[in-house]
Amino acid sequence: MMEPVYDQLLELAAPYLDTRDNDLHVRTARQFAERILEQVQADEDIVIPAILLHDLGWKMIPEELQSTAYGPVIQDPELNRKHEVEGVRLARDILQQVNYDPAKTKEILTIIDGHDSRPVALSVNDQIVKDADKLWRLSEKGFRLFQRTFGIPPMEFAEWFSQQVDRWFFTDAAKVIARQEIANRKAEVARNGSKGT
Ligand SMILES: [Fe+2]
């Protein structure tokens, strides 16, 4: 998990991740991906680069429009699609810069191309990327940012998330993590009331 090439990828990705809290999102999603990889047999050298590079396309979407292109109700699916297409272009460039294996690059780019818009997963690698990406929403910071961006009362939001677990997640490992995260968020909301959320 400490492959130097991952650090190189992250360094090259950094200028594109400083929008929409994506630097934090990507670091958190990577941790979730590593936890899933401990339990599910898959190609780490596909999954981790795909996670690190999947959201670079947001940098090409004006910040004031980003919240129309993701969230509980996507108002502008075309803009969401644009972040995938632009993300593939930027990720391809970065993978070429580090001379990443061409066959692996191809699979990584296919995963990035459909990470939001494609409801099915094409491989177990794709499943883990999709799962880790969505687990971010349930993390302490991800939940708070989402809840604030979309202005939904926190307990209602946590309850909505718990109804999405079976629909959203592919791997059993991710479902277990998701339920634990939701339980933690509910406990925090109960403890803090509306402050601190
Ligand atoms: Fe993402």
Side-chain angles (χ1 to χ4, degrees):
M1 305 288 174
M2 297 297 287
E3 295 284 337
V5 68
Y6 300 159
D7 292 337
Q8 261 178 292
L9 293 176
L10 209 43
E11 215 170 287
L12 291 165
Y16 302 100
L17 289 174
D18 67 340
T19 188
R20 209 201 64 140
D21 304 298
N22 277 341
D23 38 11
L24 182 61
H25 162 50
V26 162
R27 268 185 282 134
T28 308
R30 178 187 181 170
Q31 288 167 1
F32 283 126
E34 288 176 348
R35 283 173 65 187
I36 299 170
L37 282 166
E38 285 169 14
Q39 296 183 56
V40 180
Q41 188 66 40
D43 295 328
E44 180 195 312
D45 44 7
I46 302 285
V47 172
I48 301 298
I51 280 287
L52 297 180
L53 304 178
H54 79 281
D55 264 345
L56 303 185
W58 284 116
K59 189 66 182 172
M60 302 296 132
I61 310 287
E63 288 195 329
E64 67 275 16
L65 296 180
Q66 288 171 351
S67 66
T68 68
Y70 73 100
V73 180
I74 296 178
Q75 298 164 40
D76 194 338
E78 273 177 44
L79 212 53
N80 182 280
R81 180 66 192 132
K82 186 179 175 195
H83 104 280
E84 291 180 324
V85 173
E86 293 290 324
V88 167
R89 182 177 63 79
L90 294 165
R92 181 186 292 117
D93 189 50
I94 286 176
L95 289 161
Q96 277 170 358
Q97 284 185 58
V98 304
N99 290 317
Y100 213 71
D101 177 272
K104 287 178 181 173
T105 294
K106 194 164 174 246
E107 185 176 342
I108 292 164
L109 296 180
T110 302
I111 290 173
I112 294 174
D113 186 53
H115 77 268
D116 264 352
S117 64
R118 185 177 52 240
V120 294
L122 304 175
S123 64
V124 69
N125 298 325
D126 196 8
Q127 288 185 342
I128 296 174
V129 173
K130 284 181 178 298
D131 282 0
D133 187 22
K134 291 197 183 71
L135 279 170
W136 146 255
R137 306 168 184 176
L138 311 179
S139 69
E140 189 175 356
K141 290 197 170 112
F143 180 87
R144 201 175 305 151
L145 286 165
F146 245 71
Q147 189 257 321
R148 279 187 189 155
T149 301
F150 298 104
I152 302 166
M155 200 50 110
E156 199 179 300
F157 204 38
E159 196 44 55
W160 179 75
F161 275 133
S162 53
Q163 287 159 19
Q164 311 307 315
V165 172
D166 286 316
R167 200 168 66 84
W168 275 357
F169 297 101
F170 293 94
T171 65
D172 288 339
K175 287 180 190 179
V176 170
I177 297 170
R179 292 201 180 93
Q180 185 59 59
E181 291 293 325
I182 293 167
N184 292 345
R185 299 300 80 78
K186 284 184 175 174
E188 285 156 14
V189 175
R191 212 168 37 236
N192 299 334
S194 57
K195 69 178 158 57
T197 56

